[in-house]
């Protein structure tokens, strides 16, 4: 078959087909080599994993754009094809850049595992990485959309006319999107100052849970009963809340017992120490017993214990409470809380 009979567009279609086939063959041949080289670097491996699919589009599109330069400038429809290719290249480039950002985030998170017992530093890195990568990805997406619009002449004219009336339009848009921008700024504040981090134990509006996810505009808090609380980022900068793991995951917890005055506190202290040492939940830091209150009926004995995290602390407190109550019932049943009353005869009462 004579190639000249196909015309410029027919010849160009063959060139495009050859570019796609060659690029896919090169990709299949080079990918195992690149992955083997990337095996020595966690960051590089994560980036390659995220950029594999967009690079399959970006490389042939660039080659096609270069091949378009060889066509005659007066060829009908050439400008439209070049414009379409440019738009696709911008989209593929934005996709690749977002993949690089996400790959960097995945690599940094993999280098700082949060599965260790003392994961404060890892959770700090996870929070900064995830929030900043999502903000940067949003910025790349917006920039890519802006570059696509700039390729359309009418869109550029529209942008110029919009800038001419930016006073009123900017005021309206600013008021309408105030909450959105405030949440984005709050996201930067949380990423840098870190009042909360991923997996922090927090109490918000009377609900206790762990920070499960931090997005660019809101935070997902996993409540202890498997519910999810969705909280806007701006809320954390405007309202007080409790962060149980701000400086570390280790926590103190108390077990309160109301008992009679006749209970020997030393026996309870020895039993609490024995129970703590026998429990795998105790982190061997604090185990103390003290009388913290008393009234006209009973005294309050507080057992203060420590654990490596909030979940272990709660389970340890429940375990000690149950076993100490059983200990008092077994060894000193007469010291359980009781109501005393003194009965006396009336002076005017006559004997039977």
């Amino acid at each position: 078959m004579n190639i000249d009979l196909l015309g410029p567009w027919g010849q160009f279609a063959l060139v495009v087909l050859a570019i796609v086939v060659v690029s896919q063959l090169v990709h299949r041949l080079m990918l195992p080599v690149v992955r083997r080289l990337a095996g020595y670097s966690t960051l590089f491996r994560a980036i390659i994993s995220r950029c594999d699919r967009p690079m399959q589009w970006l490389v042939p599109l660039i080659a096609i754009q270069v091949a378009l330069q060889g066509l005659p400038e007066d060829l009908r429809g050439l400008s439209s094809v070049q414009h379409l290719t440019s738009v696709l290249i911008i989209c593929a480039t934005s996709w690749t850049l977002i993949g690089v950002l996400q790959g960097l985030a995945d690599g940094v998170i993999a280098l700082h595992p949060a599965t260790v017992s003392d994961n404060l530093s890892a959770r700090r890195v996870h929070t900064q990485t995830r929030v900043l990568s999502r903000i940067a990805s949003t910025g790349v997406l917006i920039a890519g959309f802006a570059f696509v619009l700039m390729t359309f002449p009418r869109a550029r004219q529209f942008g110029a006319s919009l800038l001419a009336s930016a006073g009123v339009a900017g005021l309206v848009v600013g008021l309408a999107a105030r909450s959105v921008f405030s949440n984005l700024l709050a996201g930067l504040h949380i990423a840098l100052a870190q009042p909360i981090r991923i997996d922090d134990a927090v109490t918000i509006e009377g609900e206790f849970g762990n920070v499960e996810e931090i997005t660019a505009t809101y935070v997902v808090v996993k409540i202890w009963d498997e519910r999810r609380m969705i909280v806007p980022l701006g809320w954390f900068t405007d309202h007080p809340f409790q962060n149980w793991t701000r400086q570390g995951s280790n926590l103190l917890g108390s077990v309160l017992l109301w008992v009679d005055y006749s209970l020997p506190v030393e026996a309870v202290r020895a039993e609490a120490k024995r129970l703590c040492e026998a429990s795998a939940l105790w982190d061997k830091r604090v185990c103390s017993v003290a009388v913290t209150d008393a009234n006209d009926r009973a005294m309050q004995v507080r057992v203060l214990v420590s654990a490596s995290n909030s979940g272990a602390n709660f389970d340890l407190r429940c375990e000690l409470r149950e076993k100490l109550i059983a200990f008092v019932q077994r060894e000193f049943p007469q010291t359980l809380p009781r109501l005393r009353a003194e009965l006396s005869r009336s002076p005017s009462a006559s004997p039977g």
Side-chain angles (χ1 to χ4, degrees), residues 141-300:
L141 190 62
I142 294 174
F145 181 70
F147 281 123
V148 169
L149 287 180
M150 290 175 63
T151 62
F152 294 91
R154 292 185 178 180
R156 286 199 298 267
Q157 295 176 1
F158 173 74
S161 62
L162 184 62
L163 289 176
S165 58
V168 178
L171 180 61
V172 173
V173 173
L175 290 175
R178 182 180 59 182
S179 60
V180 176
F181 289 123
S182 65
N183 283 328
L184 289 176
L185 293 176
L188 287 175
H189 171 73
I190 288 176
L192 299 177
Q194 293 198 339
I196 57 171
R197 292 176 293 265
I198 299 296
D199 203 35
D200 264 347
V202 296
T203 300
I204 301 173
E205 300 291 342
E207 296 282 2
F208 175 79
N210 292 83
V211 177
E212 184 177 48
E213 184 181 4
I214 301 177
T215 70
T217 55
Y218 62 88
V219 176
V220 180
V221 179
K222 182 181 179 181
I223 309 301
W224 64 272
D225 58 0
E226 302 295 333
R227 290 178 294 144
R228 266 59 174 186
M229 178 183 289
I230 310 300
V231 186
L233 280 175
W235 189 92
F236 289 93
T237 59
D238 298 333
H239 298 82
F241 61 94
Q242 295 183 26
N243 189 335
W244 291 31
T245 54
R246 181 69 178 88
Q247 298 295 334
S249 58
N250 297 331
L251 286 176
L252 296 177
S254 60
V255 176
L256 302 178
L257 300 176
W258 285 99
V259 292
D260 190 73
Y261 284 100
S262 59
L263 176 70
V265 179
E266 284 299 330
V268 178
R269 184 175 288 114
E271 179 66 11
K273 186 68 174 179
R274 186 189 68 81
L275 292 174
C276 285
E277 292 176 348
S279 177
L281 300 172
W282 187 48
D283 64 357
K284 298 177 174 56
R285 289 192 306 121
V286 178
C287 181
S288 64
V289 177
V291 177
T292 56
D293 197 4
N295 56 31
D296 58 342
R297 297 182 181 179
M299 64 179 179
Q300 184 186 71

Side-chain angles (χ1 to χ4, degrees), residues 19 55 57-68 85 89 93:
I19 289 174
M55 288 297 293
W57 287 84
L58 181 59
V59 173
L61 283 172
I62 294 176
I64 291 172
Q65 184 73 346
V66 173
L68 284 171
T85 308
I89 289 176
T93 302

Side-chain angles (χ1 to χ4, degrees), residues 260-339:
D260 190 73
Y261 284 100
S262 59
L263 176 70
V265 179
E266 284 299 330
V268 178
R269 184 175 288 114
E271 179 66 11
K273 186 68 174 179
R274 186 189 68 81
L275 292 174
C276 285
E277 292 176 348
S279 177
L281 300 172
W282 187 48
D283 64 357
K284 298 177 174 56
R285 289 192 306 121
V286 178
C287 181
S288 64
V289 177
V291 177
T292 56
D293 197 4
N295 56 31
D296 58 342
R297 297 182 181 179
M299 64 179 179
Q300 184 186 71
V301 177
R302 186 193 69 179
V303 182
L304 189 64
V305 291
S306 62
S308 59
N309 55 68
S310 59
N313 188 272
F314 179 80
D315 293 339
L316 178 60
R317 290 161 54 202
C318 292
E319 178 183 339
L320 288 179
R321 186 180 295 111
E322 294 174 4
K323 292 184 177 180
L324 285 176
I325 291 175
F327 169 75
V328 174
Q329 289 176 337
R330 182 178 66 253
E331 301 294 335
F332 307 99
Q334 72 279 4
T335 64
L336 294 173
R338 62 183 64 185
L339 181 62

Side-chain angles (χ1 to χ4, degrees), residues 32-71:
V33 178
V34 174
R35 284 180 174 174
R36 181 177 293 272
L37 295 175
Y40 300 99
S41 173
T42 303
L43 282 175
F44 195 24
R45 184 169 61 250
I47 293 174
I48 292 299
S49 177
R50 288 284 190 173
C51 295
D52 181 25
R53 184 62 60 84
M55 288 297 293
Q56 292 185 42
W57 287 84
L58 181 59
V59 173
L61 283 172
I62 294 176
I64 291 172
Q65 184 73 346
V66 173
L68 284 171
Q69 308 304 316
L71 295 178

